[in-house]
Amino acid sequence: MEAVILVGIQGAGKSTFYRRRFFETHVRLNLDMLRTRTRESILLEACLRARQPFVVDNTNVRIADRARYIAPARAAGFRVTGYYFVPDARASLARNLAREGKRAVPAAGVLGTLKRLEPPGLEEGFDALYLVRPLEDEDFEVRPA
């Protein structure tokens, strides 16, 4: 049983990383898709009860944001793994511009998220923490933090 917490600004590559690494094995919790915290909480609880691996694909830039997933996952006996997408504002803004429709976030929103970013640490309750950098062709460099 694994809970994966993705951490990074908009356009960092988190959703692509999910699709490439976890689509076949983990349920995706994503506020853009679920739209409300109530729906997210229901799906989180279902994953915990069913002992279903899941990925939290949100920005999760503050310690408090991550704690809402880490604490219940650990209490349910899940291994908690974090993937920190090292900020590259220029590249994230460029990827964000390529998004269509409502998926595109205003540049001020991306930069505001960057200002609120609190880098994750093992002391938050992660069993493992990795640094992620996007590469060419939707591939990623992943290394231990």
Side-chain angles (χ1 to χ4, degrees), residues 58-138:
N58 295 326
T59 58
N60 299 309
V61 294
R62 295 179 304 156
I63 292 169
D65 299 332
R66 299 184 291 267
R68 82 180 57 181
Y69 310 107
I70 293 171
R74 290 190 62 79
F78 279 65
R79 174 178 170 76
V80 180
T81 304
Y83 289 89
Y84 175 47
F85 289 73
V86 178
D88 181 341
R90 181 173 289 149
S92 291
L93 288 167
R95 278 190 291 277
N96 186 55
L97 281 174
R99 293 176 171 176
E100 295 180 11
K102 292 182 180 182
R103 293 184 54 233
V105 176
V110 175
L111 297 175
T113 301
L114 178 60
K115 286 180 183 177
R116 292 191 317 275
L117 178 64
E118 298 171 357
L122 288 172
E123 67 278 358
E124 293 177 52
F126 291 106
D127 294 295
L129 186 58
Y130 297 94
L131 303 177
V132 181
R133 287 184 172 82
L135 301 173
E136 301 286 323
D137 300 324
E138 295 189 345

Side-chain angles (χ1 to χ4, degrees), residues 21-78:
R21 303 277 175 116
F22 298 107
F23 180 79
E24 299 288 334
T25 57
H26 292 60
V27 168
R28 179 177 178 236
L29 301 177
N30 176 266
L31 277 173
D32 292 338
M33 178 181 66
L34 297 169
R35 300 193 189 271
T36 70
R37 288 279 180 203
T38 299
R39 289 177 179 165
E40 182 190 55
S41 294
I42 291 167
L43 188 52
L44 174 62
E45 182 64 27
C47 288
L48 295 173
R49 287 180 181 230
R51 304 170 70 80
Q52 169 64 46
F54 64 91
V55 173
V56 181
D57 179 11
N58 295 326
T59 58
N60 299 309
V61 294
R62 295 179 304 156
I63 292 169
D65 299 332
R66 299 184 291 267
R68 82 180 57 181
Y69 310 107
I70 293 171
R74 290 190 62 79
F78 279 65

